[in-house]
Amino acid sequence: MEILGSTFDDSVFSEVRDRVSVPLSSYNAKLCEPEWFCESTALDTDDPLETQKVYKFRGDLAVRQGKYQKALDAYSSCLEWIADNNLTIRRDVLEGMARCCTRLGQRDRALDLAELLSKEASNTCHLTSLLLLKISIYQHFGFLGSKMSSLQQLCSLLPFNPWHWNSLGQTCLQLLERDTTAGLCWPQRCKSADEQKQNHTQTEQQQEEAAELDKNHIWLKACTCFIRTRLLLRILRQQQSSFVLQRSENTLQSSDEALQQLGPKESTLQALTEVMSEDLIPDKMREDYQDGESLLSVCVQSFRERWWNKILQTGVLKTDCSSCQTQTDTKS
């Protein structure tokens, strides 16, 4: 009687056929001098890919040197040589152009380039990069209301990233420290009638968000963000060490100091902690919103749906408005 698994196929013991060895052709690596792409002869080529590389490298070098107009010109030239199917380089160059325009004070063009990138976003990596770009543009031009909106979208897309929550909390503090009406302005640009019609829905959403962002709401949102930051960092620091752990410890300390400055009641801290810790489940934190996932398969709840409505239902805004008013009066 044969024992299960004790028999072998005869082919296992057959001899291996002689393989025909194919000699490999010699490979000569291309040697390039430092900053070879800056030479005038670098563009003496009929290869579109080589021309694209030259302009791209020139733009990257100019950005590193702080020569943003020179970088913008190089990126603009590079864009003309990028193949239609090379979406990665195209997005990289468009983002570089937007950042150069920001540094040069060209607000409208920077926002137009960001809008162009938004139409081509197809996965979570694209959307994350786009939101970070918008945040940098809004920060540079002082549009803190728009920056807050983008940070809320970023926190909704990547809900377990403590640094985005900390940035959102710091933005709330900036809004509390300056005149609210000045801080809640949105970037306005002259647009045609067709463009205004296309952006009508977006404008209404921005106005609705701006209407809610009074000092009480901003104060409560700041408390919420720093509490969420603390919760996430306390979970993550168990797996951290060295300078990474030190950075988390420093952020934890600054979050505690910010909450002391905001001065919420103990009951408010407890209520907000309960709401913001509901989804902090280790398995879910590892699996949700993996990098590069298609946007079609990602269902991202808005900041309002996921957290804000629950926070307002606790009633802490009515019971702790005195703390908000005290902090506002102190700052003014």
Side-chain angles (χ1 to χ4, degrees), residues 94-122:
L94 287 174
E95 181 176 342
M97 293 175 64
R99 294 189 181 278
C100 289
C101 290
T102 302
R103 291 283 189 167
L104 294 171
Q106 301 176 14
R107 181 194 64 184
D108 289 353
R109 190 180 181 189
L111 291 173
D112 287 338
L113 289 167
E115 183 64 24
L116 183 60
L117 282 169
S118 67
K119 296 178 180 179
E120 300 177 359
S122 60

Side-chain angles (χ1 to χ4, degrees), residues 17-29:
R17 296 180 179 180
D18 295 335
R19 298 179 179 177
V20 179
S21 59
V22 179
L24 299 176
S25 58
S26 60
Y27 172 74
N28 296 322

Side-chain angles (χ1 to χ4, degrees), residues 29-37 39 50 57:
K30 181 180 179 180
L31 300 178
C32 299
E33 296 295 329
E35 299 184 9
W36 60 271
F37 47 85
E39 300 177 2
E50 286 296 317
F57 293 158

Side-chain angles (χ1 to χ4, degrees), residues 29 107 118 131 164 246 286 327:
R107 181 194 64 184
S118 67
L131 289 172
H164 299 329
Q246 185 60 48
R286 286 196 297 268
Q327 296 301 321

Side-chain angles (χ1 to χ4, degrees), residues 38-57:
C38 293
E39 300 177 2
S40 58
T41 57
L43 292 173
D44 296 340
T45 176
D46 296 329
D47 188 353
L49 182 58
E50 286 296 317
T51 303
Q52 169 207 301
K53 290 180 180 179
V54 169
Y55 283 123
K56 176 67 164 60
F57 293 158

